[in-house]
Amino acid sequence: MDGQETIKRGAWGSKTAFILAATGSAIGLGNIWRFPTMVSQNGGAVFVLVYILAVALIGFTVMLAELTIGRHTQKNPVGAIGHIKPRSPWKFIGYLGVITGVCILSYYSVVAGWTIGYIVKTATGAFSGEVTSQLTEKIYTEFTSNPLQVIFLLFLFIGMTTYIVSKGVKKGIERWTKVLMPILFLLIIFLAVRALTLPGASTGIAYYLKPDFSKLSGTVILFALGQAFFSLSLGMGTMITYGSYISKSDNLVSSAGWVTFSDTLIALLAGLIIFPTLAFSGQPGDVGGFGLVFKIFPIIFSQIPGGYIFALLFFSLLCGAALTSTISLLEVPVAYLVDEREWSRKKAALIVGFLSFVIGVPAALSFGGMKIFTRIDFFGKFDFIFGNISLAVGALLICVFVGYVWGVKNAIKEIFSGNHKFKIKPLWVFSLKFLSPLAIIFILIFIKKLVSG
Ligand code: TRP
């Protein structure tokens, strides 16, 4: 029955195809746009260090837990939890994931829409001539505060995502990622090499890689942990949904390892482009802000012969990488509605896509487009609630669910079903049952303090 079911839901073509698609979900704006922003707002290198620890000790643990639930149950998050623990309040994990998916999709698509705007800007010559930080600042501010433009781009981006998801998982995602990811990777390496050889790069490298431990704080740890979940697409059941398409004979541990590794590599490389270039343009590392990437990349392209072509390629790839991520965000609520509520895929994609667009409008207007949303920083607050807190809560519940409710024994049986080695088993179990949940609880208590002053 398993086999039949898998065929019906559309299994991945191969293990490589699964890894490509999961990497496609993980790699996106989170790596190239959000990660450098977080670094610059949270003390530079010390954040990078905490981030790497968070990924290795906690992110990987949750990744493997989610993939294991997914492959075992072959279902969307709500169905998966219900399958393991029928009629229990644990289903809440699934519902939380569905809601979080819709909300992250909404504001994520705002920035994804900007990438389309920047393709057009580059193509029409906005960055020809001398590119200074004043110029890129001006272009960014004018662009993101134009209400009709950003709303239109948001609509366009969610529209593309909706179209692909309505066509079904396999055809949609595999095709994209196979071509996209390798080119993106090569381009990023090339740009990093260029950035590292810019005059003045060393100041930026020091800011990025030489930790100043006096800047370590609870806030730094909180944002590093949140960023790890965000970047790896964890804490809302994306990897449960994707894991449900992995074949029984595949090695879950190495799949989880590959996705975690390549995602982290891309984020770290993105930082190696941003911070040296920032230093080159004469700005300090902590200028921060959500516009960082859009203001800095045009500067590095102006330092490369034929930079125009590279800029076009880069913004197109960034747009594509964002698309493989928004697909995975929309896939969670859609898989839930299709599997549990028996909606048609098309109807589910259309309705959820439209809902995300509506919720995304105030986020799109948070950059000067409309005073009220700019003043309350709707975008930033939304990102904090759904991109940090909600994912951390989700990840915590997943650890507790797998570690104590479903049970480590059952999870490990699933992991072993392909007869593979699992050398780091004791470490994983320790992290799943103790380290990860305790770290997340600690951080959530800290947030309460932070919010209540
Ligand atoms: N990880 C993606 C990125 O880095 C964004 C993303 C896709 C995501 N699916 C997710 C984030 C699920 C959290 C949860 O761009």
Side-chain angles (χ1 to χ4, degrees), residues 28-29 32-33 108-122 143-144 153 157 160 293-294 311-312 314-323:
L29 297 171
I32 293 164
W33 159 76
Y108 190 96
S109 300
V110 170
V111 182
W114 294 352
T115 63
I116 304 181
Y118 267 69
I119 298 175
V120 177
K121 278 201 181 308
T122 309
F143 170 67
T144 52
L153 291 172
F157 204 90
M160 297 189 322
V293 168
F294 294 93
L312 273 183
F314 172 76
F315 286 117
S316 310
L317 288 171
L318 189 57
C319 177
L323 190 57

PDB file of all heavy atoms in Angstrom, residues 28-29 32-33 108-122 143-144 153 157 160 293-294 311-312 314-323:
ATOM      1  N   GLY A  28      17.262  30.185  -0.013  1.00  0.00           N
ATOM      2  CA  GLY A  28      16.392  31.223  -0.572  1.00  0.00           C
ATOM      3  C   GLY A  28      16.785  32.557   0.006  1.00  0.00           C
ATOM      4  O   GLY A  28      17.955  32.785   0.342  1.00  0.00           O
ATOM      5  N   LEU A  29      15.801  33.418   0.159  1.00  0.00           N
ATOM      6  CA  LEU A  29      16.076  34.745   0.719  1.00  0.00           C
ATOM      7  C   LEU A  29      16.632  34.631   2.131  1.00  0.00           C
ATOM      8  O   LEU A  29      17.348  35.498   2.588  1.00  0.00           O
ATOM      9  CB  LEU A  29      14.794  35.566   0.734  1.00  0.00           C
ATOM     10  CG  LEU A  29      14.188  35.852  -0.640  1.00  0.00           C
ATOM     11  CD1 LEU A  29      12.817  36.488  -0.484  1.00  0.00           C
ATOM     12  CD2 LEU A  29      15.102  36.772  -1.434  1.00  0.00           C
ATOM     13  N   ILE A  32      20.465  34.613   1.691  1.00  0.00           N
ATOM     14  CA  ILE A  32      21.175  35.703   1.019  1.00  0.00           C
ATOM     15  C   ILE A  32      20.672  37.065   1.490  1.00  0.00           C
ATOM     16  O   ILE A  32      21.410  38.028   1.552  1.00  0.00           O
ATOM     17  CB  ILE A  32      21.036  35.526  -0.505  1.00  0.00           C
ATOM     18  CG1 ILE A  32      21.821  34.253  -0.887  1.00  0.00           C
ATOM     19  CG2 ILE A  32      21.569  36.725  -1.271  1.00  0.00           C
ATOM     20  CD1 ILE A  32      21.499  33.712  -2.235  1.00  0.00           C
ATOM     21  N   TRP A  33      19.423  37.131   1.904  1.00  0.00           N
ATOM     22  CA  TRP A  33      18.870  38.411   2.365  1.00  0.00           C
ATOM     23  C   TRP A  33      18.764  38.468   3.892  1.00  0.00           C
ATOM     24  O   TRP A  33      19.232  39.396   4.533  1.00  0.00           O
ATOM     25  CB  TRP A  33      17.481  38.616   1.730  1.00  0.00           C
ATOM     26  CG  TRP A  33      16.586  39.572   2.435  1.00  0.00           C
ATOM     27  CD1 TRP A  33      16.670  40.940   2.406  1.00  0.00           C
ATOM     28  CD2 TRP A  33      15.462  39.254   3.265  1.00  0.00           C
ATOM     29  NE1 TRP A  33      15.673  41.477   3.180  1.00  0.00           N
ATOM     30  CE2 TRP A  33      14.924  40.467   3.704  1.00  0.00           C
ATOM     31  CE3 TRP A  33      14.863  38.058   3.679  1.00  0.00           C
ATOM     32  CZ2 TRP A  33      13.806  40.520   4.545  1.00  0.00           C
ATOM     33  CZ3 TRP A  33      13.756  38.113   4.512  1.00  0.00           C
ATOM     34  CH2 TRP A  33      13.230  39.329   4.934  1.00  0.00           C
ATOM     35  N   TYR A 108       7.339  37.085   3.052  1.00  0.00           N
ATOM     36  CA  TYR A 108       8.498  36.605   2.286  1.00  0.00           C
ATOM     37  C   TYR A 108       8.333  36.997   0.811  1.00  0.00           C
ATOM     38  O   TYR A 108       9.278  37.422   0.147  1.00  0.00           O
ATOM     39  CB  TYR A 108       8.546  35.095   2.437  1.00  0.00           C
ATOM     40  CG  TYR A 108       9.799  34.405   1.935  1.00  0.00           C
ATOM     41  CD1 TYR A 108      10.830  34.105   2.813  1.00  0.00           C
ATOM     42  CD2 TYR A 108       9.933  34.014   0.615  1.00  0.00           C
ATOM     43  CE1 TYR A 108      11.971  33.437   2.375  1.00  0.00           C
ATOM     44  CE2 TYR A 108      11.060  33.353   0.171  1.00  0.00           C
ATOM     45  CZ  TYR A 108      12.077  33.060   1.053  1.00  0.00           C
ATOM     46  OH  TYR A 108      13.197  32.404   0.631  1.00  0.00           O
ATOM     47  N   SER A 109       7.102  36.893   0.321  1.00  0.00           N
ATOM     48  CA  SER A 109       6.853  37.203  -1.085  1.00  0.00           C
ATOM     49  C   SER A 109       7.001  38.686  -1.388  1.00  0.00           C
ATOM     50  O   SER A 109       7.166  39.071  -2.545  1.00  0.00           O
ATOM     51  CB  SER A 109       5.451  36.735  -1.486  1.00  0.00           C
ATOM     52  OG  SER A 109       5.338  35.349  -1.285  1.00  0.00           O
ATOM     53  N   VAL A 110       6.914  39.518  -0.338  1.00  0.00           N
ATOM     54  CA  VAL A 110       7.149  40.941  -0.552  1.00  0.00           C
ATOM     55  C   VAL A 110       8.585  41.143  -1.034  1.00  0.00           C
ATOM     56  O   VAL A 110       8.836  41.763  -2.074  1.00  0.00           O
ATOM     57  CB  VAL A 110       6.922  41.737   0.760  1.00  0.00           C
ATOM     58  CG1 VAL A 110       7.395  43.175   0.602  1.00  0.00           C
ATOM     59  CG2 VAL A 110       5.461  41.678   1.172  1.00  0.00           C
ATOM     60  N   VAL A 111       9.528  40.561  -0.290  1.00  0.00           N
ATOM     61  CA  VAL A 111      10.935  40.714  -0.642  1.00  0.00           C
ATOM     62  C   VAL A 111      11.236  39.960  -1.943  1.00  0.00           C
ATOM     63  O   VAL A 111      12.008  40.411  -2.782  1.00  0.00           O
ATOM     64  CB  VAL A 111      11.837  40.215   0.503  1.00  0.00           C
ATOM     65  CG1 VAL A 111      13.305  40.426   0.166  1.00  0.00           C
ATOM     66  CG2 VAL A 111      11.492  40.938   1.795  1.00  0.00           C
ATOM     67  N   ALA A 112      10.595  38.807  -2.104  1.00  0.00           N
ATOM     68  CA  ALA A 112      10.775  38.049  -3.347  1.00  0.00           C
ATOM     69  C   ALA A 112      10.335  38.897  -4.537  1.00  0.00           C
ATOM     70  O   ALA A 112      10.976  38.887  -5.590  1.00  0.00           O
ATOM     71  CB  ALA A 112       9.992  36.747  -3.277  1.00  0.00           C
ATOM     72  N   GLY A 113       9.249  39.651  -4.343  1.00  0.00           N
ATOM     73  CA  GLY A 113       8.778  40.557  -5.399  1.00  0.00           C
ATOM     74  C   GLY A 113       9.817  41.632  -5.716  1.00  0.00           C
ATOM     75  O   GLY A 113      10.011  41.997  -6.880  1.00  0.00           O
ATOM     76  N   TRP A 114      10.494  42.111  -4.687  1.00  0.00           N
ATOM     77  CA  TRP A 114      11.557  43.108  -4.928  1.00  0.00           C
ATOM     78  C   TRP A 114      12.593  42.568  -5.900  1.00  0.00           C
ATOM     79  O   TRP A 114      13.142  43.322  -6.699  1.00  0.00           O
ATOM     80  CB  TRP A 114      12.285  43.468  -3.637  1.00  0.00           C
ATOM     81  CG  TRP A 114      11.480  44.184  -2.598  1.00  0.00           C
ATOM     82  CD1 TRP A 114      10.207  44.692  -2.729  1.00  0.00           C
ATOM     83  CD2 TRP A 114      11.897  44.488  -1.257  1.00  0.00           C
ATOM     84  NE1 TRP A 114       9.813  45.279  -1.553  1.00  0.00           N
ATOM     85  CE2 TRP A 114      10.830  45.172  -0.632  1.00  0.00           C
ATOM     86  CE3 TRP A 114      13.057  44.253  -0.528  1.00  0.00           C
ATOM     87  CZ2 TRP A 114      10.898  45.611   0.687  1.00  0.00           C
ATOM     88  CZ3 TRP A 114      13.127  44.691   0.789  1.00  0.00           C
ATOM     89  CH2 TRP A 114      12.060  45.368   1.383  1.00  0.00           C
ATOM     90  N   THR A 115      12.904  41.270  -5.805  1.00  0.00           N
ATOM     91  CA  THR A 115      13.945  40.735  -6.698  1.00  0.00           C
ATOM     92  C   THR A 115      13.521  40.914  -8.163  1.00  0.00           C
ATOM     93  O   THR A 115      14.359  41.193  -9.009  1.00  0.00           O
ATOM     94  CB  THR A 115      14.255  39.239  -6.439  1.00  0.00           C
ATOM     95  OG1 THR A 115      13.088  38.459  -6.721  1.00  0.00           O
ATOM     96  CG2 THR A 115      14.695  38.985  -5.010  1.00  0.00           C
ATOM     97  N   ILE A 116      12.213  40.793  -8.426  1.00  0.00           N
ATOM     98  CA  ILE A 116      11.751  41.027  -9.802  1.00  0.00           C
ATOM     99  C   ILE A 116      11.976  42.493 -10.164  1.00  0.00           C
ATOM    100  O   ILE A 116      12.466  42.816 -11.249  1.00  0.00           O
ATOM    101  CB  ILE A 116      10.252  40.684  -9.955  1.00  0.00           C
ATOM    102  CG1 ILE A 116       9.992  39.243  -9.527  1.00  0.00           C
ATOM    103  CG2 ILE A 116       9.794  40.920 -11.390  1.00  0.00           C
ATOM    104  CD1 ILE A 116       8.542  38.821  -9.663  1.00  0.00           C
ATOM    105  N   GLY A 117      11.645  43.375  -9.225  1.00  0.00           N
ATOM    106  CA  GLY A 117      11.872  44.793  -9.453  1.00  0.00           C
ATOM    107  C   GLY A 117      13.331  45.088  -9.768  1.00  0.00           C
ATOM    108  O   GLY A 117      13.642  45.889 -10.651  1.00  0.00           O
ATOM    109  N   TYR A 118      14.223  44.395  -9.069  1.00  0.00           N
ATOM    110  CA  TYR A 118      15.658  44.643  -9.282  1.00  0.00           C
ATOM    111  C   TYR A 118      16.159  44.045 -10.597  1.00  0.00           C
ATOM    112  O   TYR A 118      17.127  44.538 -11.158  1.00  0.00           O
ATOM    113  CB  TYR A 118      16.478  44.154  -8.073  1.00  0.00           C
ATOM    114  CG  TYR A 118      16.685  45.286  -7.081  1.00  0.00           C
ATOM    115  CD1 TYR A 118      15.611  45.782  -6.347  1.00  0.00           C
ATOM    116  CD2 TYR A 118      17.924  45.904  -6.929  1.00  0.00           C
ATOM    117  CE1 TYR A 118      15.777  46.850  -5.473  1.00  0.00           C
ATOM    118  CE2 TYR A 118      18.100  46.969  -6.049  1.00  0.00           C
ATOM    119  CZ  TYR A 118      17.031  47.444  -5.327  1.00  0.00           C
ATOM    120  OH  TYR A 118      17.198  48.503  -4.476  1.00  0.00           O
ATOM    121  N   ILE A 119      15.505  42.990 -11.066  1.00  0.00           N
ATOM    122  CA  ILE A 119      15.856  42.479 -12.400  1.00  0.00           C
ATOM    123  C   ILE A 119      15.545  43.574 -13.427  1.00  0.00           C
ATOM    124  O   ILE A 119      16.371  43.914 -14.274  1.00  0.00           O
ATOM    125  CB  ILE A 119      15.056  41.200 -12.739  1.00  0.00           C
ATOM    126  CG1 ILE A 119      15.392  40.076 -11.752  1.00  0.00           C
ATOM    127  CG2 ILE A 119      15.358  40.742 -14.172  1.00  0.00           C
ATOM    128  CD1 ILE A 119      14.553  38.819 -11.943  1.00  0.00           C
ATOM    129  N   VAL A 120      14.350  44.129 -13.294  1.00  0.00           N
ATOM    130  CA  VAL A 120      13.935  45.169 -14.246  1.00  0.00           C
ATOM    131  C   VAL A 120      14.840  46.398 -14.128  1.00  0.00           C
ATOM    132  O   VAL A 120      15.295  46.958 -15.129  1.00  0.00           O
ATOM    133  CB  VAL A 120      12.460  45.563 -13.997  1.00  0.00           C
ATOM    134  CG1 VAL A 120      12.036  46.698 -14.918  1.00  0.00           C
ATOM    135  CG2 VAL A 120      11.550  44.356 -14.177  1.00  0.00           C
ATOM    136  N   LYS A 121      15.118  46.813 -12.899  1.00  0.00           N
ATOM    137  CA  LYS A 121      15.992  47.978 -12.687  1.00  0.00           C
ATOM    138  C   LYS A 121      17.352  47.773 -13.334  1.00  0.00           C
ATOM    139  O   LYS A 121      17.874  48.658 -14.007  1.00  0.00           O
ATOM    140  CB  LYS A 121      16.210  48.196 -11.191  1.00  0.00           C
ATOM    141  CG  LYS A 121      15.080  48.937 -10.574  1.00  0.00           C
ATOM    142  CD  LYS A 121      15.492  49.598  -9.275  1.00  0.00           C
ATOM    143  CE  LYS A 121      14.289  50.310  -8.706  1.00  0.00           C
ATOM    144  NZ  LYS A 121      13.637  51.202  -9.680  1.00  0.00           N
ATOM    145  N   THR A 122      17.922  46.591 -13.122  1.00  0.00           N
ATOM    146  CA  THR A 122      19.230  46.309 -13.697  1.00  0.00           C
ATOM    147  C   THR A 122      19.148  46.343 -15.216  1.00  0.00           C
ATOM    148  O   THR A 122      19.974  46.975 -15.877  1.00  0.00           O
ATOM    149  CB  THR A 122      19.723  44.917 -13.248  1.00  0.00           C
ATOM    150  OG1 THR A 122      19.612  44.841 -11.829  1.00  0.00           O
ATOM    151  CG2 THR A 122      21.160  44.688 -13.657  1.00  0.00           C
ATOM    152  N   PHE A 143      12.236  52.833  -4.465  1.00  0.00           N
ATOM    153  CA  PHE A 143      11.573  51.632  -4.984  1.00  0.00           C
ATOM    154  C   PHE A 143      10.638  50.991  -3.948  1.00  0.00           C
ATOM    155  O   PHE A 143       9.469  50.725  -4.212  1.00  0.00           O
ATOM    156  CB  PHE A 143      12.636  50.623  -5.431  1.00  0.00           C
ATOM    157  CG  PHE A 143      12.099  49.269  -5.756  1.00  0.00           C
ATOM    158  CD1 PHE A 143      11.261  49.072  -6.843  1.00  0.00           C
ATOM    159  CD2 PHE A 143      12.427  48.162  -4.978  1.00  0.00           C
ATOM    160  CE1 PHE A 143      10.756  47.816  -7.146  1.00  0.00           C
ATOM    161  CE2 PHE A 143      11.928  46.906  -5.264  1.00  0.00           C
ATOM    162  CZ  PHE A 143      11.083  46.736  -6.344  1.00  0.00           C
ATOM    163  N   THR A 144      11.146  50.779  -2.739  1.00  0.00           N
ATOM    164  CA  THR A 144      10.348  50.030  -1.762  1.00  0.00           C
ATOM    165  C   THR A 144       9.231  50.867  -1.151  1.00  0.00           C
ATOM    166  O   THR A 144       8.342  50.335  -0.489  1.00  0.00           O
ATOM    167  CB  THR A 144      11.221  49.477  -0.624  1.00  0.00           C
ATOM    168  OG1 THR A 144      11.987  50.543  -0.081  1.00  0.00           O
ATOM    169  CG2 THR A 144      12.133  48.371  -1.125  1.00  0.00           C
ATOM    170  N   LEU A 153       4.129  43.699  -7.431  1.00  0.00           N
ATOM    171  CA  LEU A 153       5.171  42.660  -7.452  1.00  0.00           C
ATOM    172  C   LEU A 153       4.855  41.524  -6.477  1.00  0.00           C
ATOM    173  O   LEU A 153       5.112  40.355  -6.763  1.00  0.00           O
ATOM    174  CB  LEU A 153       6.538  43.270  -7.136  1.00  0.00           C
ATOM    175  CG  LEU A 153       7.081  44.196  -8.231  1.00  0.00           C
ATOM    176  CD1 LEU A 153       8.338  44.928  -7.776  1.00  0.00           C
ATOM    177  CD2 LEU A 153       7.363  43.398  -9.511  1.00  0.00           C
ATOM    178  N   PHE A 157       4.404  37.685  -7.619  1.00  0.00           N
ATOM    179  CA  PHE A 157       5.206  36.590  -7.072  1.00  0.00           C
ATOM    180  C   PHE A 157       4.329  35.503  -6.469  1.00  0.00           C
ATOM    181  O   PHE A 157       4.544  34.311  -6.692  1.00  0.00           O
ATOM    182  CB  PHE A 157       6.216  37.097  -6.035  1.00  0.00           C
ATOM    183  CG  PHE A 157       7.370  36.168  -5.915  1.00  0.00           C
ATOM    184  CD1 PHE A 157       8.491  36.318  -6.703  1.00  0.00           C
ATOM    185  CD2 PHE A 157       7.316  35.073  -5.055  1.00  0.00           C
ATOM    186  CE1 PHE A 157       9.545  35.430  -6.642  1.00  0.00           C
ATOM    187  CE2 PHE A 157       8.363  34.177  -4.986  1.00  0.00           C
ATOM    188  CZ  PHE A 157       9.479  34.350  -5.781  1.00  0.00           C
ATOM    189  N   MET A 160       2.822  33.478  -9.267  1.00  0.00           N
ATOM    190  CA  MET A 160       3.705  32.453  -9.850  1.00  0.00           C
ATOM    191  C   MET A 160       3.775  31.225  -8.947  1.00  0.00           C
ATOM    192  O   MET A 160       3.720  30.080  -9.399  1.00  0.00           O
ATOM    193  CB  MET A 160       5.131  33.007 -10.044  1.00  0.00           C
ATOM    194  CG  MET A 160       5.181  34.158 -11.018  1.00  0.00           C
ATOM    195  SD  MET A 160       6.855  34.709 -11.508  1.00  0.00           S
ATOM    196  CE  MET A 160       7.849  34.611 -10.092  1.00  0.00           C
ATOM    197  N   VAL A 293      21.013  43.718   1.429  1.00  0.00           N
ATOM    198  CA  VAL A 293      21.440  42.997   0.230  1.00  0.00           C
ATOM    199  C   VAL A 293      21.195  43.807  -1.046  1.00  0.00           C
ATOM    200  O   VAL A 293      22.031  43.853  -1.945  1.00  0.00           O
ATOM    201  CB  VAL A 293      20.699  41.647   0.154  1.00  0.00           C
ATOM    202  CG1 VAL A 293      20.887  41.011  -1.205  1.00  0.00           C
ATOM    203  CG2 VAL A 293      21.218  40.739   1.246  1.00  0.00           C
ATOM    204  N   PHE A 294      20.036  44.480  -1.080  1.00  0.00           N
ATOM    205  CA  PHE A 294      19.680  45.225  -2.293  1.00  0.00           C
ATOM    206  C   PHE A 294      20.546  46.468  -2.465  1.00  0.00           C
ATOM    207  O   PHE A 294      20.720  46.963  -3.565  1.00  0.00           O
ATOM    208  CB  PHE A 294      18.191  45.593  -2.256  1.00  0.00           C
ATOM    209  CG  PHE A 294      17.321  44.377  -2.325  1.00  0.00           C
ATOM    210  CD1 PHE A 294      16.866  43.741  -1.165  1.00  0.00           C
ATOM    211  CD2 PHE A 294      16.971  43.832  -3.554  1.00  0.00           C
ATOM    212  CE1 PHE A 294      16.086  42.604  -1.237  1.00  0.00           C
ATOM    213  CE2 PHE A 294      16.187  42.693  -3.627  1.00  0.00           C
ATOM    214  CZ  PHE A 294      15.754  42.069  -2.467  1.00  0.00           C
ATOM    215  N   ALA A 311      24.814  40.935 -12.683  1.00  0.00           N
ATOM    216  CA  ALA A 311      23.725  41.467 -11.866  1.00  0.00           C
ATOM    217  C   ALA A 311      22.390  40.868 -12.310  1.00  0.00           C
ATOM    218  O   ALA A 311      21.582  40.424 -11.492  1.00  0.00           O
ATOM    219  CB  ALA A 311      23.680  42.984 -11.961  1.00  0.00           C
ATOM    220  N   LEU A 312      22.194  40.823 -13.619  1.00  0.00           N
ATOM    221  CA  LEU A 312      20.961  40.237 -14.144  1.00  0.00           C
ATOM    222  C   LEU A 312      20.839  38.773 -13.723  1.00  0.00           C
ATOM    223  O   LEU A 312      19.803  38.312 -13.260  1.00  0.00           O
ATOM    224  CB  LEU A 312      20.951  40.299 -15.671  1.00  0.00           C
ATOM    225  CG  LEU A 312      20.410  41.558 -16.314  1.00  0.00           C
ATOM    226  CD1 LEU A 312      20.411  41.401 -17.823  1.00  0.00           C
ATOM    227  CD2 LEU A 312      18.995  41.844 -15.812  1.00  0.00           C
ATOM    228  N   PHE A 314      22.347  37.305 -11.210  1.00  0.00           N
ATOM    229  CA  PHE A 314      22.183  37.172  -9.765  1.00  0.00           C
ATOM    230  C   PHE A 314      20.740  37.415  -9.334  1.00  0.00           C
ATOM    231  O   PHE A 314      20.154  36.604  -8.609  1.00  0.00           O
ATOM    232  CB  PHE A 314      23.112  38.129  -9.012  1.00  0.00           C
ATOM    233  CG  PHE A 314      22.845  38.163  -7.538  1.00  0.00           C
ATOM    234  CD1 PHE A 314      23.273  37.118  -6.725  1.00  0.00           C
ATOM    235  CD2 PHE A 314      22.128  39.206  -6.962  1.00  0.00           C
ATOM    236  CE1 PHE A 314      22.998  37.124  -5.357  1.00  0.00           C
ATOM    237  CE2 PHE A 314      21.847  39.216  -5.598  1.00  0.00           C
ATOM    238  CZ  PHE A 314      22.284  38.176  -4.802  1.00  0.00           C
ATOM    239  N   PHE A 315      20.148  38.518  -9.755  1.00  0.00           N
ATOM    240  CA  PHE A 315      18.784  38.802  -9.295  1.00  0.00           C
ATOM    241  C   PHE A 315      17.789  37.773  -9.849  1.00  0.00           C
ATOM    242  O   PHE A 315      16.810  37.433  -9.192  1.00  0.00           O
ATOM    243  CB  PHE A 315      18.383  40.238  -9.632  1.00  0.00           C
ATOM    244  CG  PHE A 315      19.054  41.247  -8.730  1.00  0.00           C
ATOM    245  CD1 PHE A 315      19.924  42.199  -9.229  1.00  0.00           C
ATOM    246  CD2 PHE A 315      18.829  41.207  -7.352  1.00  0.00           C
ATOM    247  CE1 PHE A 315      20.565  43.115  -8.388  1.00  0.00           C
ATOM    248  CE2 PHE A 315      19.473  42.112  -6.499  1.00  0.00           C
ATOM    249  CZ  PHE A 315      20.332  43.068  -7.022  1.00  0.00           C
ATOM    250  N   SER A 316      18.067  37.256 -11.037  1.00  0.00           N
ATOM    251  CA  SER A 316      17.188  36.202 -11.567  1.00  0.00           C
ATOM    252  C   SER A 316      17.309  34.930 -10.736  1.00  0.00           C
ATOM    253  O   SER A 316      16.308  34.281 -10.413  1.00  0.00           O
ATOM    254  CB  SER A 316      17.536  35.871 -13.014  1.00  0.00           C
ATOM    255  OG  SER A 316      17.606  37.043 -13.777  1.00  0.00           O
ATOM    256  N   LEU A 317      18.550  34.580 -10.377  1.00  0.00           N
ATOM    257  CA  LEU A 317      18.736  33.368  -9.577  1.00  0.00           C
ATOM    258  C   LEU A 317      18.141  33.542  -8.184  1.00  0.00           C
ATOM    259  O   LEU A 317      17.530  32.625  -7.637  1.00  0.00           O
ATOM    260  CB  LEU A 317      20.223  33.029  -9.453  1.00  0.00           C
ATOM    261  CG  LEU A 317      20.890  32.505 -10.716  1.00  0.00           C
ATOM    262  CD1 LEU A 317      22.388  32.418 -10.518  1.00  0.00           C
ATOM    263  CD2 LEU A 317      20.334  31.132 -11.094  1.00  0.00           C
ATOM    264  N   LEU A 318      18.295  34.748  -7.626  1.00  0.00           N
ATOM    265  CA  LEU A 318      17.739  35.006  -6.304  1.00  0.00           C
ATOM    266  C   LEU A 318      16.214  34.882  -6.353  1.00  0.00           C
ATOM    267  O   LEU A 318      15.589  34.306  -5.464  1.00  0.00           O
ATOM    268  CB  LEU A 318      18.152  36.409  -5.833  1.00  0.00           C
ATOM    269  CG  LEU A 318      17.832  36.748  -4.380  1.00  0.00           C
ATOM    270  CD1 LEU A 318      18.481  35.750  -3.437  1.00  0.00           C
ATOM    271  CD2 LEU A 318      18.294  38.173  -4.041  1.00  0.00           C
ATOM    272  N   CYS A 319      15.655  35.384  -7.424  1.00  0.00           N
ATOM    273  CA  CYS A 319      14.213  35.282  -7.630  1.00  0.00           C
ATOM    274  C   CYS A 319      13.817  33.802  -7.729  1.00  0.00           C
ATOM    275  O   CYS A 319      12.846  33.360  -7.103  1.00  0.00           O
ATOM    276  CB  CYS A 319      13.853  36.040  -8.909  1.00  0.00           C
ATOM    277  SG  CYS A 319      12.142  35.966  -9.359  1.00  0.00           S
ATOM    278  N   GLY A 320      14.582  33.026  -8.477  1.00  0.00           N
ATOM    279  CA  GLY A 320      14.301  31.598  -8.613  1.00  0.00           C
ATOM    280  C   GLY A 320      14.459  30.850  -7.301  1.00  0.00           C
ATOM    281  O   GLY A 320      13.642  29.991  -6.955  1.00  0.00           O
ATOM    282  N   ALA A 321      15.507  31.203  -6.546  1.00  0.00           N
ATOM    283  CA  ALA A 321      15.730  30.544  -5.257  1.00  0.00           C
ATOM    284  C   ALA A 321      14.593  30.872  -4.303  1.00  0.00           C
ATOM    285  O   ALA A 321      14.138  30.019  -3.531  1.00  0.00           O
ATOM    286  CB  ALA A 321      17.065  30.976  -4.663  1.00  0.00           C
ATOM    287  N   ALA A 322      14.118  32.111  -4.368  1.00  0.00           N
ATOM    288  CA  ALA A 322      12.988  32.502  -3.529  1.00  0.00           C
ATOM    289  C   ALA A 322      11.737  31.707  -3.929  1.00  0.00           C
ATOM    290  O   ALA A 322      10.948  31.286  -3.086  1.00  0.00           O
ATOM    291  CB  ALA A 322      12.729  34.001  -3.649  1.00  0.00           C
ATOM    292  N   LEU A 323      11.609  31.483  -5.229  1.00  0.00           N
ATOM    293  CA  LEU A 323      10.436  30.767  -5.725  1.00  0.00           C
ATOM    294  C   LEU A 323      10.408  29.313  -5.237  1.00  0.00           C
ATOM    295  O   LEU A 323       9.356  28.810  -4.831  1.00  0.00           O
ATOM    296  CB  LEU A 323      10.420  30.822  -7.256  1.00  0.00           C
ATOM    297  CG  LEU A 323       9.166  30.338  -7.955  1.00  0.00           C
ATOM    298  CD1 LEU A 323       7.942  31.110  -7.488  1.00  0.00           C
ATOM    299  CD2 LEU A 323       9.304  30.480  -9.468  1.00  0.00           C
TER     300      LEU A 323
END
